[in-house]
Amino acid sequence: MPSTFKTVSVVGLGYIGLPTAAIFASQKIKVIGVDVNQHAVDTINRGEVHIVEPDLEQVVQDSVEDGYLKASSKPAAADAFLIAVPTPFMENYEPDLSYIESAAKSIAPVLKRGDLVVLESTSPVGATEKMARWMAEIRPDLTFPQDAGDCSDIRVAHCPERVLPGHVLRELVQNDRVIGGMTPSCSEKASSLYNIFVQGECIVTDVRTAEMCKLTENSFRDVNIAFANELSVICDKLDINVWELIRLANRHPRVNILQPGPGVGGHCIAVDPWFIISSVPESTQLIRAAREVNDSKPFHVFKSIKAAAEQVSSPVIACLGLAFKADIDDLRESPSLKIVEMLAQSAMGKLLLVEPNIDEAPSNLVGLNHVELVSLDEALERSNIVLMLVNHREFYGVTERQLADKAVIDTRGVWQ
Ligand code: SAJ
């Protein structure tokens, strides 16, 4: 059956929006990708990508060449709009919905009767309803679900993205999707949109449950990583190898402990739990404690490096990895970067940064004369302390001989 969606617009062409746009285009749906970043727009229109994600460049290149994907800095008419813009938090950990607000207000003028608007950005409970109100303010000539219910001119739904960076193209297609329409017709229309490419199940619920579901998934992971991180601090004090401990405990049929690391980063797990905490501060002790445990881990690692550096006359510290996790270029909320920034400020010694996924050190580190971005071989050659921060695939090949005579702090258990 031919799709009722001839044109889909994806607003926000970042880590989620661009792969989603490219997947729709690969199904021969005309896609208009919209982004305020002109550099991203120009890059995509050349068939190139401005982010690192396995296999993405090829899908984007094919879609642009076939004429199904086009990027623009201005919204245009479409049958469905997917909003995939950032939802950061502010200094007081309150969610910042300003990107959703400006995206909603920017598409409102081009909406027409029968259109669908889906919020994909991870959002606090109530954000989709707010988005619908922002659009309604600008378009009093159209009806929206909050006023007209199931007969509204515009259908509105929340369908949170749930893909794992590094595996986005596979997970976009294979994962189940939770679809929360503001009314049953909104859910139905959103399901028919996602069914164009989703091979998993599209499961329908109401809009607030869909918002809370995404926050719950990421908070669940945060709490579980916090348990692993707390164990690692305990084990450091009790002189126990935490990696061996977890391996052994996980032999129990009902125990599955995650891996400790330098802390929790990225724009999702380190952020989303705060959206629950800020909604219900009086009932979120465990979720808050997990956030605090994970946020304190970089300071614990910093103290271990300081102790190692005090044993060396001229510390030269090889810092392996800056991204928030393995095999990606994303430095957002990266605990590794935070540790490197603390080291740079403390002027504890020379820092040799290795990050195979970026070409330039972050702007706040560029130009510091005790900080250099170098190759892995050079860092191993020149350093007397090796700090393993991110388990990028390039680092697994480091040999015992390359680490001989150096102090090694392995926050990821790569060389255990
Ligand atoms: N981490 C650990 N130990 C672990 C697992 C992860 O320290 O055992 C760290 C990572 O190094 C990283 C952070 O946690 O710093 C988050 O990494 P992640 O791989 O757990 O998750 P993200 O942020 O890349 O993606 C998550 C995913 N959510 C869940 O797994 C519940 C993904 O499915 C979501 O789509 C994504 O958040 C998102 O966009 O919200």
Side-chain angles (χ1 to χ4, degrees):
M1 204 174 68
S3 168
T4 54
F5 300 100
K6 299 272 175 282
T7 306
V8 171
S9 178
V10 179
V11 184
L13 296 173
Y15 288 90
I16 300 302
L18 181 56
T20 306
I23 290 265
F24 270 115
S26 71
Q27 298 295 313
K28 311 230 172 296
I29 301 278
K30 198 172 154 226
V31 179
I32 305 166
V34 181
D35 203 292
V36 290
N37 174 352
Q38 191 61 45
H39 166 71
V41 168
D42 296 340
T43 307
I44 294 162
N45 282 335
R46 285 197 305 271
E48 295 166 13
V49 293
H50 58 296
I51 51 179
V52 171
E53 177 60 40
D55 307 325
L56 178 62
E57 180 137 35
Q58 191 60 56
V59 189
V60 169
Q61 192 189 325
D62 294 347
S63 310
V64 171
E65 272 173 17
D66 294 349
Y68 284 102
L69 174 61
K70 198 170 169 3
S72 166
S73 56
K74 296 218 163 40
D79 304 314
F81 294 82
L82 266 69
I83 310 237
V85 294
T87 41
F89 55 59
M90 298 182 282
E91 263 175 28
N92 57 2
Y93 293 116
E94 290 292 321
D96 175 2
L97 300 187
S98 60
Y99 295 90
I100 297 181
E101 182 173 356
S102 61
K105 290 182 171 170
S106 77
I107 62 164
V110 298
L111 288 178
K112 59 183 186 317
R113 197 157 179 255
D115 282 356
L116 167 71
V117 182
V118 181
L119 179 61
E120 280 220 5
S121 313
T122 305
S123 302
V125 173
T128 311
E129 291 152 326
K130 268 193 187 147
M131 178 185 81
R133 287 200 293 275
W134 283 319
M135 293 186 291
E137 276 167 22
I138 295 187
R139 292 301 300 272
D141 56 317
L142 291 170
T143 60
F144 285 79
Q146 64 272 28
D147 304 314
D150 222 18
C151 311
S152 59
D153 292 334
I154 304 296
R155 311 286 195 211
V156 181
H158 181 58
C159 178
E161 61 80 14
R162 303 155 100 194
V163 289
L164 196 66
H167 302 267
V168 168
L169 288 175
R170 179 173 50 78
E171 290 211 349
L172 261 181
V173 173
Q174 290 180 359
N175 288 3
D176 293 341
R177 295 298 292 242
V178 173
I179 297 189
M182 282 181 69
T183 67
S185 300
C186 297
S187 297
E188 198 184 313
K189 184 137 192 166
S191 292
S192 65
L193 176 68
Y194 284 96
N195 273 319
I196 291 173
F197 71 84
V198 171
Q199 288 170 9
E201 204 179 323
C202 290
I203 306 149
V204 166
T205 181
D206 61 81
V207 68
R208 292 168 84 85
T209 308
E211 289 165 336
M212 187 61 185
C213 184
K214 171 61 193 268
L215 303 180
T216 301
E217 291 158 12
N218 280 355
S219 299
F220 171 85
R221 194 149 168 91
D222 197 42
V223 168
N224 282 279
I225 300 170
F227 182 70
N229 277 334
E230 186 159 292
L231 276 180
S232 73
V233 175
I234 295 169
C235 285
D236 278 354
K237 297 205 167 139
L238 298 181
D239 199 19
I240 290 170
N241 180 328
V242 70
W243 316 102
E244 187 189 358
L245 173 77
I246 291 176
R247 236 183 350 260
L248 294 174
N250 282 349
R251 298 294 286 263
H252 184 287
R254 285 173 297 283
V255 174
N256 188 9
I257 303 169
L258 293 179
Q259 298 300 300
V264 166
H267 187 64
C268 311
I269 302 217
V271 175
D272 302 351
W274 289 112
F275 294 174
I276 305 183
I277 299 167
S278 78
S279 297
V280 201
E282 68 287 2
S283 307
T284 39
Q285 293 92 324
L286 178 63
I287 297 174
R288 180 188 289 274
R291 271 294 62 245
E292 287 166 356
V293 167
N294 287 332
D295 274 354
S296 67
K297 190 67 199 289
F299 298 98
H300 176 79
V301 175
F302 176 77
K303 277 193 206 148
S304 314
I305 306 159
K306 194 159 176 261
E310 280 164 6
Q311 307 298 315
V312 177
S313 60
S314 305
V316 180
I317 309 171
C319 304
L320 305 195
L322 298 177
F324 86 85
K325 67 176 204 173
D327 304 326
I328 57 170
D329 67 334
D330 194 342
L331 305 186
R332 290 179 298 177
E333 312 289 331
S334 169
S336 311
L337 182 58
K338 185 170 188 163
I339 292 165
V340 167
E341 285 168 351
M342 285 193 282
L343 288 171
Q345 267 168 20
S346 74
M348 199 182 281
K350 182 134 194 102
L351 301 184
L352 302 176
L353 313 185
V354 184
E355 179 41 82
N357 299 302
I358 61 172
D359 300 326
E360 238 181 57
S363 54
N364 59 341
L365 299 172
V366 169
L368 298 179
N369 59 13
H370 59 299
V371 181
E372 283 176 63
L373 186 69
V374 300
S375 69
L376 175 60
D377 285 343
E378 183 176 346
L380 293 173
E381 182 77 35
R382 290 169 55 194
S383 59
N384 42 33
I385 299 176
V386 178
L387 172 60
M388 157 54 68
L389 289 168
V390 189
N391 45 333
H392 288 315
R393 60 171 77 87
E394 291 83 353
F395 302 153
Y396 281 89
V398 173
T399 60
E400 260 178 56
R401 205 161 61 83
Q402 285 174 298
L403 296 176
D405 304 327
K406 299 181 196 295
V408 176
I409 297 157
D410 181 357
T411 70
R412 297 277 184 179
V414 168
W415 300 320
Q416 296 302 311

